[in-house]
């Protein structure tokens, strides 16, 4: 896994734990999340903000497959975002989740909310694979998130469903079996419950 050195504390951290922080006037520095949160808290007058370093957690999905989730808390003015994500080839990939809280919230209470959200999502499979290929599961609901497809030069989205990358072409093939049916597409922030 590629490591990057924080310009403030000197720690070497994974690249996904680095934030480019600064401005065009003063320049930018690469800060680890902990140092970023410390500086953001100081600039917002949040003397009691507690940055929590959370240990990765392994959780099983409804098929018994385990997933290792890493956590990252980022302060953003009036709130704190707690992210959970899998790591593949040194970068966040697969399942990703987020909850939003207040800077004064107990980090462990936010973590508990996030783990419950993850458990609910892992309890359902939205796609299945059979002799015909990838298919939408029998309950006919698909939940996931939108990413960009690097192989389509950003011209087409990539959808991530059940922690699995599905190209726009593959997703279209899954939908064609429902020709003539209606559908409802809702776009929600990652922190919202689906």
């Amino acid at each position: 896994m590629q490591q990057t050195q924080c310009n403030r504390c000197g720690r070497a951290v994974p690249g996904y734990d680095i934030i480019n922080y600064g401005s065009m006037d003063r320049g930018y520095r690469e800060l680890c999340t902990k140092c970023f949160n410390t500086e953001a808290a100081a600039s917002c007058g949040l003397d009691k903000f507690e940055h929590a370093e959370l240990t990765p957690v392994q959780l099983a999905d409804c098929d018994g497959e385990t997933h290792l989730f890493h956590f990252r808390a980022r302060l953003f003015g009036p709130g704190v975002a707690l992210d959970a994500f899998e790591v593949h080839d040194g970068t966040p990939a697969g399942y990703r989740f987020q909850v939003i809280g207040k800077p004064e919230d107990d980090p462990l209470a936010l973590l508990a909310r996030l783990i419950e959200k993850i458990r609910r999502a892992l309890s359902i499979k939205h796609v299945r694979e059979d002799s015909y290929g990838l298919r939408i599961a029998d309950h006919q609901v698909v939940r996931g998130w939108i990413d960009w497809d690097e192989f389509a030069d950003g011209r087409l989205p990539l959808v991530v469903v059940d922690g699995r990358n599905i190209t726009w072409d593959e997703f279209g093939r899954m939908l064609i079996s429902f020709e003539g049916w209606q559908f409802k597409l809702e776009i929600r922030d990652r922190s919202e419950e689906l």
Side-chain angles (χ1 to χ4, degrees), residues 7-31:
N7 294 145
R8 185 172 187 257
C9 71
R11 267 189 330 154
V13 297
Y16 59 78
D17 196 30
I18 289 290
I19 297 166
N20 288 315
Y21 181 64
S23 67
M24 290 179 59
D25 298 339
R26 295 183 190 171
Y28 291 90
R29 296 175 294 150
E30 292 184 328
L31 301 181

Short mmCIF file of all heavy atoms in Angstrom, two decimals, residues 7-31:
data_model
loop_
_atom_site.label_atom_id
_atom_site.label_comp_id
_atom_site.label_asym_id
_atom_site.label_seq_id
_atom_site.Cartn_x
_atom_site.Cartn_y
_atom_site.Cartn_z
N ASN A 7 2.66 16.42 6.05
CA ASN A 7 3.53 17.59 6.13
C ASN A 7 3.53 18.24 7.51
O ASN A 7 4.36 19.10 7.78
CB ASN A 7 3.12 18.65 5.11
CG ASN A 7 3.34 18.21 3.68
OD1 ASN A 7 2.57 18.56 2.81
ND2 ASN A 7 4.38 17.43 3.41
N ARG A 8 2.61 17.82 8.38
CA ARG A 8 2.55 18.44 9.72
C ARG A 8 3.21 17.56 10.78
O ARG A 8 4.07 18.00 11.50
CB ARG A 8 1.09 18.71 10.10
CG ARG A 8 0.93 19.46 11.41
CD ARG A 8 -0.54 19.86 11.60
NE ARG A 8 -0.71 20.71 12.75
CZ ARG A 8 -1.21 20.29 13.91
NH1 ARG A 8 -1.55 19.02 14.07
NH2 ARG A 8 -1.35 21.14 14.91
N CYS A 9 2.79 16.29 10.88
CA CYS A 9 3.31 15.42 11.94
C CYS A 9 4.41 14.49 11.46
O CYS A 9 5.11 13.89 12.27
CB CYS A 9 2.18 14.60 12.57
SG CYS A 9 1.50 13.32 11.49
N GLY A 10 4.58 14.34 10.15
CA GLY A 10 5.63 13.50 9.60
C GLY A 10 5.28 12.02 9.53
O GLY A 10 6.09 11.23 9.04
N ARG A 11 4.09 11.64 9.99
CA ARG A 11 3.68 10.23 9.92
C ARG A 11 3.47 9.80 8.48
O ARG A 11 2.95 10.56 7.67
CB ARG A 11 2.35 10.02 10.66
CG ARG A 11 2.44 9.63 12.06
CD ARG A 11 1.10 9.24 12.68
NE ARG A 11 -0.07 9.90 12.13
CZ ARG A 11 -1.29 9.38 12.15
NH1 ARG A 11 -1.52 8.21 12.69
NH2 ARG A 11 -2.31 10.05 11.65
N ALA A 12 3.84 8.56 8.18
CA ALA A 12 3.53 7.96 6.88
C ALA A 12 2.19 7.25 7.02
O ALA A 12 2.02 6.40 7.90
CB ALA A 12 4.61 6.98 6.47
N VAL A 13 1.23 7.65 6.19
CA VAL A 13 -0.12 7.09 6.24
C VAL A 13 -0.53 6.65 4.83
O VAL A 13 0.03 7.12 3.84
CB VAL A 13 -1.14 8.11 6.81
CG1 VAL A 13 -0.81 8.47 8.26
CG2 VAL A 13 -1.22 9.35 5.96
N PRO A 14 -1.55 5.77 4.74
CA PRO A 14 -2.03 5.39 3.40
C PRO A 14 -2.51 6.62 2.63
O PRO A 14 -3.01 7.58 3.22
CB PRO A 14 -3.20 4.46 3.70
CG PRO A 14 -3.01 4.00 5.10
CD PRO A 14 -2.27 5.10 5.81
N GLY A 15 -2.37 6.60 1.32
CA GLY A 15 -2.76 7.72 0.48
C GLY A 15 -4.20 8.16 0.68
O GLY A 15 -4.52 9.35 0.55
N TYR A 16 -5.11 7.23 1.01
CA TYR A 16 -6.51 7.61 1.22
C TYR A 16 -6.71 8.37 2.53
O TYR A 16 -7.78 8.88 2.78
CB TYR A 16 -7.43 6.39 1.16
CG TYR A 16 -7.15 5.30 2.18
CD1 TYR A 16 -7.54 5.43 3.51
CD2 TYR A 16 -6.48 4.15 1.81
CE1 TYR A 16 -7.28 4.45 4.44
CE2 TYR A 16 -6.22 3.15 2.73
CZ TYR A 16 -6.62 3.31 4.04
OH TYR A 16 -6.36 2.33 4.96
N ASP A 17 -5.67 8.46 3.37
CA ASP A 17 -5.77 9.18 4.63
C ASP A 17 -5.11 10.55 4.55
O ASP A 17 -4.80 11.16 5.56
CB ASP A 17 -5.14 8.35 5.76
CG ASP A 17 -5.53 8.84 7.14
OD1 ASP A 17 -6.64 9.37 7.29
OD2 ASP A 17 -4.72 8.71 8.07
N ILE A 18 -4.87 11.05 3.34
CA ILE A 18 -4.24 12.35 3.13
C ILE A 18 -5.25 13.33 2.53
O ILE A 18 -6.02 12.98 1.64
CB ILE A 18 -3.01 12.22 2.18
CG1 ILE A 18 -1.87 11.51 2.89
CG2 ILE A 18 -2.57 13.56 1.63
CD1 ILE A 18 -1.19 12.31 4.00
N ILE A 19 -5.22 14.56 3.05
CA ILE A 19 -6.08 15.63 2.56
C ILE A 19 -5.20 16.79 2.14
O ILE A 19 -4.31 17.20 2.89
CB ILE A 19 -7.06 16.08 3.67
CG1 ILE A 19 -7.98 14.91 4.04
CG2 ILE A 19 -7.88 17.29 3.23
CD1 ILE A 19 -8.75 15.11 5.31
N ASN A 20 -5.40 17.30 0.94
CA ASN A 20 -4.69 18.50 0.49
C ASN A 20 -5.39 19.69 1.12
O ASN A 20 -6.54 19.99 0.79
CB ASN A 20 -4.70 18.61 -1.04
CG ASN A 20 -3.79 17.59 -1.67
OD1 ASN A 20 -2.67 17.40 -1.22
ND2 ASN A 20 -4.26 16.93 -2.70
N TYR A 21 -4.69 20.38 2.01
CA TYR A 21 -5.31 21.43 2.82
C TYR A 21 -4.55 22.73 2.62
O TYR A 21 -3.32 22.76 2.65
CB TYR A 21 -5.26 21.01 4.30
CG TYR A 21 -5.88 22.00 5.25
CD1 TYR A 21 -7.24 22.29 5.21
CD2 TYR A 21 -5.11 22.62 6.22
CE1 TYR A 21 -7.82 23.18 6.09
CE2 TYR A 21 -5.69 23.50 7.13
CZ TYR A 21 -7.04 23.78 7.05
OH TYR A 21 -7.61 24.65 7.93
N GLY A 22 -5.29 23.80 2.39
CA GLY A 22 -4.68 25.12 2.23
C GLY A 22 -5.50 26.01 1.33
O GLY A 22 -6.70 25.85 1.19
N SER A 23 -4.79 26.93 0.68
CA SER A 23 -5.45 27.86 -0.23
C SER A 23 -4.48 28.25 -1.32
O SER A 23 -3.28 28.02 -1.22
CB SER A 23 -5.91 29.11 0.54
OG SER A 23 -4.78 29.84 0.99
N MET A 24 -5.00 28.89 -2.37
CA MET A 24 -4.14 29.33 -3.46
C MET A 24 -3.17 30.39 -2.97
O MET A 24 -2.03 30.45 -3.42
CB MET A 24 -4.98 29.84 -4.64
CG MET A 24 -5.72 28.71 -5.35
SD MET A 24 -6.75 29.27 -6.72
CE MET A 24 -5.59 30.07 -7.78
N ASP A 25 -3.59 31.24 -2.03
CA ASP A 25 -2.73 32.30 -1.51
C ASP A 25 -1.57 31.75 -0.69
O ASP A 25 -0.44 32.20 -0.84
CB ASP A 25 -3.54 33.27 -0.63
CG ASP A 25 -4.64 33.96 -1.41
OD1 ASP A 25 -4.54 34.03 -2.64
OD2 ASP A 25 -5.60 34.43 -0.77
N ARG A 26 -1.86 30.81 0.19
CA ARG A 26 -0.84 30.30 1.11
C ARG A 26 -0.21 28.98 0.66
O ARG A 26 0.73 28.51 1.28
CB ARG A 26 -1.46 30.10 2.49
CG ARG A 26 -1.91 31.38 3.12
CD ARG A 26 -2.43 31.11 4.50
NE ARG A 26 -3.08 32.30 5.04
CZ ARG A 26 -3.77 32.32 6.14
NH1 ARG A 26 -3.91 31.23 6.84
NH2 ARG A 26 -4.34 33.44 6.55
N GLY A 27 -0.77 28.37 -0.33
CA GLY A 27 -0.27 27.07 -0.78
C GLY A 27 -0.99 25.92 -0.08
O GLY A 27 -1.79 26.14 0.83
N TYR A 28 -0.69 24.74 -0.53
CA TYR A 28 -1.35 23.55 -0.01
C TYR A 28 -0.34 22.64 0.66
O TYR A 28 0.83 22.59 0.28
CB TYR A 28 -2.04 22.79 -1.15
CG TYR A 28 -3.22 23.54 -1.70
CD1 TYR A 28 -3.07 24.44 -2.75
CD2 TYR A 28 -4.48 23.36 -1.15
CE1 TYR A 28 -4.16 25.14 -3.25
CE2 TYR A 28 -5.58 24.06 -1.65
CZ TYR A 28 -5.40 24.94 -2.69
OH TYR A 28 -6.48 25.64 -3.17
N ARG A 29 -0.82 21.92 1.66
CA ARG A 29 -0.01 20.92 2.35
C ARG A 29 -0.78 19.61 2.36
O ARG A 29 -2.01 19.60 2.38
CB ARG A 29 0.26 21.34 3.81
CG ARG A 29 1.08 22.60 3.92
CD ARG A 29 1.22 23.04 5.38
NE ARG A 29 -0.10 23.42 5.89
CZ ARG A 29 -0.49 23.30 7.16
NH1 ARG A 29 0.33 22.81 8.05
NH2 ARG A 29 -1.69 23.68 7.53
N GLU A 30 -0.06 18.52 2.37
CA GLU A 30 -0.68 17.20 2.48
C GLU A 30 -0.70 16.83 3.96
O GLU A 30 0.35 16.63 4.57
CB GLU A 30 0.09 16.17 1.67
CG GLU A 30 -0.01 16.40 0.17
CD GLU A 30 0.69 15.33 -0.64
OE1 GLU A 30 1.71 14.76 -0.17
OE2 GLU A 30 0.21 15.05 -1.74
N LEU A 31 -1.92 16.78 4.53
CA LEU A 31 -2.08 16.48 5.95
C LEU A 31 -2.80 15.15 6.13
O LEU A 31 -3.74 14.84 5.38
CB LEU A 31 -2.89 17.57 6.65
CG LEU A 31 -2.37 19.00 6.62
CD1 LEU A 31 -3.29 19.92 7.39
CD2 LEU A 31 -0.95 19.07 7.17
#
